């Protein structure tokens, strides 16, 4: 049973460019969340997708956008890249929580470096 | 901001039990306690979660105090592979509620 998979594993971009990161959720999961993890810090929530719509958003600018496809996979897009966008980008999937406390399961992330 | 407080680092001897504390004094009645760990260069790995009762699985045990203001994650026989950053998170078990990570505890298992 494949877990959460993310691609690519590493990416190098320059300031001002745009990037797309991809995520396939764990089998049976319908909800995808994205997190940004700067070096030495805990992950910070970017946004969550369910039924192909953004349902919740953290404190990130509009340069960060996403999409969820009918097969529940998801993309994270970042425009006008800044040096400060260098981080590990994590995707997490889960089933829709109906009060039972379902955990999120994380992929190993995409390491994005901005030059 | 994270609703939990954890020591920044801890050491544990290989083969001994590792007891990782977490303070969540402002926890609400509908908030679960979750534990994740992150080994270098990997994504966070789910360990265990609970609401009121103590929980045990193949990885660890979670002990929650009766007033729910603190908890302890127990790794019964720590190995070198358990060296990681451990995150304690409280979260409402409801649609749309996401995980707020603090800095966690860096556990070093020593040979």
């Amino acid at each position: 049973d494949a877990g959460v998979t993310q691609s690519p594993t590493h990416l190098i971009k320059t300031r001002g460019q745009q990037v797309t990161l991809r995520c396939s959720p764990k089998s049976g999961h319908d909800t995808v969340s994205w997190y940004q993890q700067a070096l030495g810090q805990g992950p910070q929530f970017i946004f969550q997708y369910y039924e192909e719509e953004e349902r919740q958003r953290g404190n990130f600018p509009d340069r960060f956008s996403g999409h969820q496809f009918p097969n529940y996979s998801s993309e994270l897009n970042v425009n006008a890249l800044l040096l400060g966008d260098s981080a590990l980008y994590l995707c997490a999937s889960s089933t829709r929580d109906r009060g039972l406390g379902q955990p999120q399961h994380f992929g190993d992330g995409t390491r994005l470096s901005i030059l | 901001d994270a609703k939990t407080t954890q020591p920044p680092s801890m050491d544990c001897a290989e083969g001994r039990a590792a007891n990782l504390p977490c303070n969540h004094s402002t926890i609400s009645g509908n908030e679960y306690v979750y534990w994740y760990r992150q080994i270098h260069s990997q994504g966070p790995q789910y360990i265990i979660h609970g609401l009121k009762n103590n929980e045990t699985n193949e990885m660890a045990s979670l002990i929650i105090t009766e007033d729910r203001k603190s908890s302890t994650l127990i790794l019964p026989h720590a190995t070198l592979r358990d060296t990681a950053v451990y995150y304690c998170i409280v979260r409402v078990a409801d649609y749309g509620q996401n995980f707020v990570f603090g800095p966690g505890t860096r556990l070093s298992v020593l040979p």
Side-chain angles (χ1 to χ4, degrees), chain B residues 23-34:
Chain B
N23 180 285
H24 31 80
S25 58
T26 61
I27 193 170
S28 301
N30 61 348
E31 287 182 312
Y32 281 72
V33 179
Y34 296 79

Side-chain angles (χ1 to χ4, degrees), chain A residues 33 35 37 41-45 48 50 55-56 88 90 96-108, chain B residues 32 34 36 38 40-46 49 87 91-103 106:
Chain A
S33 298
Y35 293 79
Q37 186 173 24
Q41 299 182 19
Q44 302 297 308
F45 172 69
Q48 182 185 76
Y50 172 73
R55 300 293 180 170
Q56 189 184 23
L88 179 67
L90 295 161
R96 181 173 178 173
D97 197 331
R98 293 177 170 82
L100 300 179
Q102 287 94 331
Q104 292 181 353
H105 294 266
F106 287 78
D108 283 337
Chain B
Y32 281 72
Y34 296 79
Y36 283 79
Q38 189 170 23
H40 183 62
S41 298
Q42 298 181 17
Q45 178 189 23
Y46 165 74
H49 75 287
Y87 297 101
R91 168 185 172 268
V92 175
D94 196 7
Y95 168 61
Q97 296 297 319
N98 280 283
F99 291 84
V100 179
F101 288 79
R106 182 171 297 279

Side-chain angles (χ1 to χ4, degrees), chain B residues 25-106:
Chain B
S25 58
T26 61
I27 193 170
S28 301
N30 61 348
E31 287 182 312
Y32 281 72
V33 179
Y34 296 79
W35 283 84
Y36 283 79
R37 73 180 181 184
Q38 189 170 23
I39 298 169
H40 183 62
S41 298
Q42 298 181 17
Q45 178 189 23
Y46 165 74
I47 301 173
I48 198 167
H49 75 287
L51 183 62
K52 297 179 183 178
N53 301 320
N54 299 336
E55 302 287 345
T56 296
N57 63 20
E58 65 279 3
M59 291 182 66
S61 295
L62 173 60
I63 308 299
I64 302 174
T65 58
E66 189 169 348
D67 63 8
R68 303 186 69 238
K69 292 185 177 182
S70 66
S71 61
T72 302
L73 178 74
I74 301 173
L75 307 178
H77 305 286
T79 70
L80 298 179
R81 289 192 299 270
D82 293 321
T83 293
V85 177
Y86 287 76
Y87 297 101
C88 170
I89 302 164
V90 296
R91 168 185 172 268
V92 175
D94 196 7
Y95 168 61
Q97 296 297 319
N98 280 283
F99 291 84
V100 179
F101 288 79
T105 294
R106 182 171 297 279

Side-chain angles (χ1 to χ4, degrees), chain A residues 1 3 6 8 15-16 20 24 39-40 44 49 51 57-59 68 73-74 76 81 85 94-95 100:
Chain A
D1 179 21
Q6 294 186 241
R15 283 179 296 174
T20 297
S24 292
L39 203 59
Q44 302 297 308
Y49 277 83
E51 289 186 336
R57 190 179 184 91
N59 188 26
Q68 186 180 34
S73 66
S74 177
L76 165 66
L81 287 166
D85 295 331
S94 61
T95 54
L100 300 179

Side-chain angles (χ1 to χ4, degrees), chain A residues 2-87:
Chain A
V4 178
T5 58
Q6 294 186 241
S7 63
T9 55
H10 295 83
L11 202 52
I12 299 175
K13 292 286 188 178
T14 57
R15 283 179 296 174
Q17 285 189 311
Q18 176 266 342
V19 68
T20 297
L21 311 181
R22 296 176 175 80
C23 172
S24 292
K26 184 176 179 176
S27 177
H29 287 182
D30 56 10
T31 301
V32 173
S33 298
W34 287 91
Y35 293 79
Q36 180 195 65
Q37 186 173 24
L39 203 59
Q41 299 182 19
Q44 302 297 308
F45 172 69
I46 302 175
F47 44 53
Q48 182 185 76
Y49 277 83
Y50 172 73
E51 289 186 336
E52 303 179 47
E53 291 189 15
E54 183 182 298
R55 300 293 180 170
Q56 189 184 23
R57 190 179 184 91
N59 188 26
F60 280 80
D62 292 345
R63 297 187 297 109
F64 290 78
S65 63
H67 189 78
Q68 186 180 34
F69 299 93
N71 67 352
Y72 308 120
S73 66
S74 177
E75 289 181 349
L76 165 66
N77 300 294
V78 187
N79 294 324
L81 287 166
L82 304 173
L83 293 178
D85 295 331
S86 294

